[in-house]
Amino acid sequence: MKLSFLSKARTLASLKNVVEHAQIAPLTFFFVNEWQSNKSNILNSLINDPNTQSWIVRSSCSREDSLNLSNAGAFLSILNVTNESLEAAICKVIDSYGEIDLCDEILVQPMLTNVVRSGVAFSHDPNTCSPYRVVNWSDGENTSIVTGGKGGRVWQQAAKCKIDKPHWLKKVINLLEELYGLFDKAPIDCEFAFTSLANKEVLWLLQVRPLVLPHKPEDEYVQAARLKNISNKVARNMQPHPFLMGRRTVYGVMPDWNPAEILGIRPKPLALSLYRELITDSIWAYQRHNYGYINLRSFPLMPHFFGMPYIDVRLSFNSFIPADLNKGLADRLVDHYIDKLLDEPTLHDKVEFQIVFSCYTLDLPDRLKSLSAEGFSIDEQGKIASCLRKLTNRIVHPKDGLWRNDAKKIDTLNQRREKLITSSDDPVVRIYWLLEDGKRYGTLPFAGLARAGFVAVQMLQSLLAVGVFSQSDYDAFIGGTSTISRQLSRDRATLDQSTFLSRYGHLRPGSYDILSARYDEAPELYFDWTKKQRPPDPVLPFKLSLEQMREIVKLLELHGLHPDAVSLLDFMQSGIELRELSKFYFTRNLSDALALINAVGNDYGFSKEDLSYCDISVFKELHIAALEPKDLLSRSIEQGMARHLETLKLSLPPLISNPEDVWGFEWPESEPNFITQKQVTATVVDCHDLEKLNGAIVCIPNADPGFDWLFAYPIASLITAWGGANSHMAIRAGELCLPSVIGAGEILYRRWSTSKRLHIDCASRRVERLA
């Protein structure tokens, strides 16, 4: 039997004696003109029903639930209506229609009681238009949490998913499949509720409407073939590896070099290939080994699944093992790290602070005690501490610290870039050498300075943990750092446009994305040059008391760490500042290379959009070989476009712990990183609405340095979808004492960024949606 979509009321009526996997409550519906001419009879027929004590009066307007526009939530529905207030409720629903159409309907049903769960379900993912079954629900009696856009939990599974799931969820999926078949496989959206009666749950169908998608969804079997490839790849890589410690792996979008923060979860092929080339294919491992960790060269850190980048977490955790730690002990330690992440997946963007032991800190012996419950002896904990102490001393040594040599390479990078930019070499040659230098003198030292930056922040946190610093001391130290981002805000207020752009014009939100305009390509997009900005408050130097200084000296001697108290403070400040400075300079090489890529592409008739689909290996090949450039570029772009189309149809969880996760998963609510202890209440605005930025909460998807232009405005707060506890934006917000939520995750970010007004309480780690 094939059905057609009608009004809300008549669609439910057509299903009343047809649908098998749910019940439909008794329904009464009538036209506006019937209500106007026969109000008394309609009310009497409802009020005289002895089985109903309260009602729900629902809109069933001709302008909602159409094949082209749902208008979901545009009209009024009123819950828990008594017999006495039924007439007024019906009139209110009619009033919500605005311009009256006498053929519009009103639907009245008995109010469900003992509701234990309710929500909405889609036959297709509205974001990807792919055949994913999506169930968004909340537990409890309130049936408006999900439909009112206030959140709830989300389960998503592929159409051909066969994995086991809770019994109630199976019921919803079965109902969804039945409705999908009844409406001739047209994409559908339905509302449901479960009630409890005599310890038995009953599923009720509340509404069915067409799901309006921007384009035709792909075939379910095509989706299944793609997911089978991914699940097979995951299954193979879950096995032990002869050259790695740990019995299995996990894949995440945020651990370690966190691609979701830097690239986004569905980057274009050029951005993805650049990140691999500059960092994750080899540079990351090379520098970890230089800093005293085990040798993982030739291990690419970031695989991708049809263009969605993930970090191989086993590989990442291996890379935090000191090179001289006993292999058997290291093997158990990696397994412990992975098990802890699986037990607490919300830590996926905090692995270095709350899971792995990657350096020696003043509270390390106390933190290592947590390993006792996992079977690590006191002697083994001592061996771990000893190896980490040796490694850390090499990094933080006051004279010969590894970070000092890396800091010197920044000058070499800048000098060589000036020669490249002003040379008369072919643009392809300059692209090649900008990227090669970007690796050797840019991302390689940056990887080292980023490691030093992590050690610096962890050392700083340990001073807080052992009681030498108070929270206000910690905040004052961070606020006293002088990063390149703080300098940008100062220069924006004091320099003319031309001078400012000569220094900062290479920055772009989305450092690896050729489609993201540089500051100097679109200055009006990022700054209002007609208004003079107020300079930021001057940096106040951090001061230690004599007692704190003495305590640090004692602790350094007690723990066998090489720097004295002054050297330690110098290292912590330099580690935080140089991490940001080195990133600023290597992204200049990257940005200049992207500008040249655009110029070369334009010469052959390719747009920026076209070039975003090519792979950077094409330009390396053009530098090395005598080939026809246009043909090579064309083929790479064509392949990239085809692959990215598949990327856009794919949904995967932020943490993949087994092959089944590829087929079906519950979207996790992340544990965001709250910066400062402050509160703020403000409106939420789009970052490009320059006129409304002052005093607003600004939402951006990732924590890329190219968004630093925002801090030229007196924004009230910042929320990012992705970003770790030590990410660029976390550091930036901390130094500005800006109450911020970094790394909200996809579900919370979607909820908060679509709000009109929020209250953020960082001390209580709470965000409240006010409108």
Side-chain angles (χ1 to χ4, degrees):
M1 181 179 182
K2 304 300 180 185
L3 301 178
S4 299
F5 291 107
L6 305 168
S7 67
K8 180 190 299 183
R10 283 180 288 154
T11 297
L12 278 176
S14 69
L15 289 164
K16 190 78 169 68
N17 298 313
V18 175
V19 70
E20 297 179 358
H21 287 90
Q23 296 191 33
I24 297 174
L27 48 89
T28 300
F29 60 95
F30 43 88
F31 296 114
V32 171
N33 61 349
E34 291 179 311
W35 171 255
Q36 292 176 342
S37 62
N38 203 16
K39 181 189 305 183
S40 298
N41 288 341
I42 292 172
L43 284 173
N44 288 334
S45 66
L46 291 167
I47 291 171
N48 290 331
D49 181 353
N51 298 317
T52 304
Q53 302 304 313
S54 66
W55 307 88
I56 177 170
V57 181
R58 309 176 66 189
S59 64
S60 183
C61 180
S62 59
R63 283 167 283 156
E64 61 182 324
D65 299 352
S66 73
L67 293 172
N68 299 314
L69 185 67
S70 74
N71 257 334
F75 307 108
L76 193 62
S77 289
I78 303 177
L79 288 67
N80 297 308
V81 178
T82 63
N83 285 339
E84 292 74 19
S85 57
L86 187 56
E87 179 179 352
I90 293 172
C91 290
K92 284 182 181 179
V93 170
I94 293 173
D95 288 343
S96 74
Y97 295 170
E99 185 178 342
I100 297 298
D101 183 335
L102 296 180
C103 293
D104 281 338
E105 298 167 344
I106 301 90
L107 170 62
V108 182
Q109 292 179 280
M111 192 71 193
L112 293 179
T113 58
N114 299 320
V115 174
V116 295
R117 189 181 302 108
S118 60
V120 298
F122 304 137
S123 64
H124 293 71
D125 179 359
N127 298 307
T128 64
C129 300
S130 296
Y132 284 102
R133 311 312 186 218
V134 182
V135 182
N136 182 194
W137 81 95
S138 65
D139 296 313
E141 294 183 6
N142 190 342
T143 59
S144 65
I145 290 177
V146 171
T147 56
K150 298 175 183 176
R153 297 164 64 182
V154 180
W155 169 266
Q156 182 160 342
Q157 69 172 57
K160 299 299 180 183
C161 172
K162 302 296 183 185
I163 66 175
D164 195 28
K165 45 194 165 289
H167 182 63
W168 74 265
L169 193 51
K170 287 182 184 177
K171 287 185 174 183
V172 176
I173 298 295
N174 289 338
L175 171 62
L176 201 56
E177 296 294 348
E178 181 186 10
L179 293 171
Y180 186 48
L182 286 172
F183 287 96
D184 200 21
K185 301 210 171 196
I188 59 168
D189 163 7
C190 70
E191 295 182 16
F192 66 88
F194 282 88
T195 59
S196 178
L197 183 63
N199 294 321
K200 182 180 179 181
E201 289 191 357
V202 179
L203 174 59
W204 298 84
L205 177 62
L206 306 181
Q207 181 173 346
V208 186
R209 58 186 166 216
L211 179 62
V212 180
L213 299 175
H215 56 79
K216 183 180 178 181
E218 73 173 342
D219 182 82
E220 296 174 1
Y221 291 95
V222 173
Q223 179 194 59
R226 183 184 307 113
L227 295 181
K228 186 176 180 181
N229 274 324
I230 299 173
S231 63
N232 287 345
K233 171 73 171 173
V234 171
R236 287 195 301 272
N237 291 356
M238 289 289 172
Q239 303 303 311
H241 190 286
F243 306 134
L244 289 175
M245 290 166 284
R247 64 184 183 274
R248 57 167 302 177
T249 193
V250 175
Y251 293 100
V253 298
M254 277 303 300
D256 213 343
W257 283 92
N258 37 43
E261 175 187 341
I262 305 301
L263 300 174
I265 59 174
R266 296 183 182 90
K268 294 287 182 65
L270 178 59
L272 179 62
S273 63
L274 276 168
Y275 198 54
R276 292 177 56 193
E277 174 72 18
L278 288 173
I279 296 175
T280 64
D281 274 358
S282 59
I283 292 296
W284 78 281
Y286 190 95
Q287 193 65 306
R288 291 268 166 95
H289 187 217
N290 287 347
Y291 269 56
Y293 300 96
I294 65 172
N295 185 355
L296 293 171
R297 301 181 191 190
S298 301
F299 279 98
L301 179 65
M302 188 182 71
H304 67 85
F305 304 128
F306 285 88
M308 289 187 72
Y310 278 79
I311 295 299
D312 183 331
V313 177
R314 173 172 56 184
L315 193 53
S316 169
F317 287 169
N318 269 255
S319 77
F320 292 123
I321 299 295
D324 55 350
L325 187 64
N326 172 273
K327 185 181 182 304
L329 179 54
D331 196 54
R332 289 167 52 210
L333 199 56
V334 170
D335 279 336
H336 163 67
Y337 292 157
I338 291 175
D339 289 342
K340 186 171 182 180
L341 178 60
L342 292 175
D343 287 342
E344 301 181 68
T346 57
L347 299 180
H348 73 137
D349 61 348
K350 308 171 184 68
V351 295
E352 282 205 58
F353 293 102
Q354 298 191 41
I355 293 183
V356 304
F357 303 107
S358 64
C359 66
Y360 196 97
T361 56
L362 299 174
D363 63 342
L364 180 67
D366 287 335
R367 291 193 294 123
L368 285 172
K369 290 177 182 177
S370 65
L371 293 175
S372 297
E374 306 303 323
F376 291 85
S377 68
I378 299 298
D379 180 61
E380 289 172 329
Q381 294 171 37
K383 289 177 179 177
I384 295 169
S386 178
C387 290
L388 288 173
R389 183 187 296 109
K390 179 181 176 182
L391 178 150
T392 303
N393 273 329
R394 289 184 64 219
I395 297 173
V396 305
H397 192 278
K399 291 184 178 179
D400 303 319
L402 294 172
W403 65 277
R404 293 186 181 276
N405 287 331
D406 282 330
K408 294 174 184 176
K409 293 178 182 178
I410 296 174
D411 291 335
T412 305
L413 176 72
N414 291 336
Q415 292 165 8
R416 289 175 66 90
R417 183 180 56 251
E418 289 304 317
K419 290 181 180 179
L420 281 171
I421 293 300
T422 57
S423 76
S424 57
D425 280 338
D426 182 87
V428 171
V429 174
R430 284 184 283 162
I431 291 167
Y432 177 83
W433 282 107
L434 281 168
L435 296 179
E436 282 299 302
D437 276 8
K439 289 188 290 185
R440 186 175 306 168
Y441 305 109
T443 56
L444 184 63
F446 167 68
L449 292 169
R451 178 101 309 272
F454 269 103
V455 174
V457 172
Q458 287 188 282
M459 195 69 75
L460 184 61
Q461 289 181 346
S462 74
L463 286 169
L464 181 63
V466 298
V468 176
F469 278 10
S470 65
Q471 184 64 53
S472 60
D473 290 329
Y474 181 94
D475 293 340
F477 186 92
I478 293 293
T481 56
S482 183
T483 63
I484 188 67
S485 300
R486 188 188 291 272
Q487 184 63 43
L488 182 151
S489 297
R490 188 178 299 115
D491 286 347
R492 171 65 187 92
T494 58
L495 299 179
D496 62 84
Q497 180 176 345
S498 177
T499 307
F500 176 85
L501 292 176
S502 70
R503 294 184 186 179
Y504 302 101
H506 71 281
L507 293 173
R508 59 175 99 215
S511 297
Y512 296 80
D513 184 5
I514 195 171
L515 296 177
S516 179
R518 292 165 50 122
Y519 287 6
D520 56 11
E521 290 175 341
E524 308 302 328
L525 181 63
Y526 303 114
F527 303 102
D528 185 349
W529 300 97
T530 64
K531 294 181 180 177
K532 192 72 174 175
Q533 296 293 323
R534 184 178 69 84
D537 295 333
V539 175
L540 299 176
F542 177 74
K543 295 181 180 179
L544 276 179
S545 69
L546 186 59
E547 182 59 33
Q548 286 175 311
M549 183 72 79
R550 288 172 178 162
E551 189 63 28
I552 292 174
V553 170
K554 290 179 185 178
L555 286 169
L556 291 171
E557 291 178 357
L558 175 67
H559 289 277
L561 293 174
H562 290 167
D564 56 31
V566 174
S567 297
L568 177 65
L569 292 174
D570 175 55
F571 164 74
M572 291 191 301
Q573 180 173 344
S574 297
I576 293 169
E577 292 175 352
L578 285 172
R579 176 193 178 209
E580 301 306 308
L581 185 65
S582 61
K583 185 185 296 182
F584 175 81
Y585 284 120
F586 93 70
T587 55
R588 177 170 284 173
N589 270 49
L590 170 60
S591 191
D592 289 344
L594 285 171
L596 286 170
I597 287 170
N598 183 42
V600 171
N602 285 342
D603 287 344
Y604 294 105
F606 298 109
S607 66
K608 268 188 183 182
E609 178 71 25
D610 294 332
L611 293 165
S612 71
Y613 293 103
C614 76
D615 192 285
I616 193 57
S617 61
V618 170
F619 289 90
K620 292 179 68 176
E621 192 69 11
L622 287 175
H623 171 69
I624 294 168
L627 296 168
E628 207 291 305
K630 186 169 184 178
D631 178 62
L632 198 64
L633 276 169
S634 180
R635 281 189 280 120
S636 181
I637 290 168
E638 185 178 345
Q639 291 170 359
M641 284 181 171
R643 192 184 77 192
H644 194 63
L645 277 176
E646 294 193 285
T647 308
L648 295 176
K649 294 171 184 174
L650 190 61
S651 287
L652 295 171
L655 205 65
I656 300 174
S657 59
N658 62 69
E660 288 187 345
D661 291 344
V662 172
W663 294 92
F665 57 92
E666 182 177 346
W667 280 102
E669 281 201 359
S670 297
E671 181 61 33
N673 302 288
F674 287 84
I675 311 301
T676 79
Q677 304 292 303
K678 295 183 175 182
Q679 297 185 29
V680 64
T681 301
T683 55
V684 179
V685 302
D686 180 83
C687 66
H688 293 302
D689 197 345
L690 303 186
E691 294 295 323
K692 296 181 180 179
L693 290 180
N694 292 6
I697 296 170
V698 183
C699 296
I700 58 175
N702 43 15
D704 188 277
F707 282 100
D708 273 359
W709 63 270
L710 283 170
F711 301 116
Y713 296 86
I715 65 174
S717 179
L718 186 69
I719 296 177
T720 74
W722 307 105
N726 203 35
S727 67
H728 174 85
M729 284 301 179
I731 291 173
R732 190 73 178 99
E735 70 181 16
L736 293 175
C737 296
L738 186 73
S740 299
V741 186
I742 306 299
E746 190 156 336
I747 295 296
L748 291 176
Y749 180 78
R750 195 181 301 163
R751 186 183 310 163
W752 295 338
S753 64
T754 55
S755 302
K756 294 181 180 178
R757 192 172 181 83
L758 292 173
H759 173 70
I760 298 174
D761 182 346
C762 292
S764 299
R765 304 179 65 81
R766 182 172 62 89
V767 178
E768 184 180 355
R769 188 175 184 177
L770 303 179

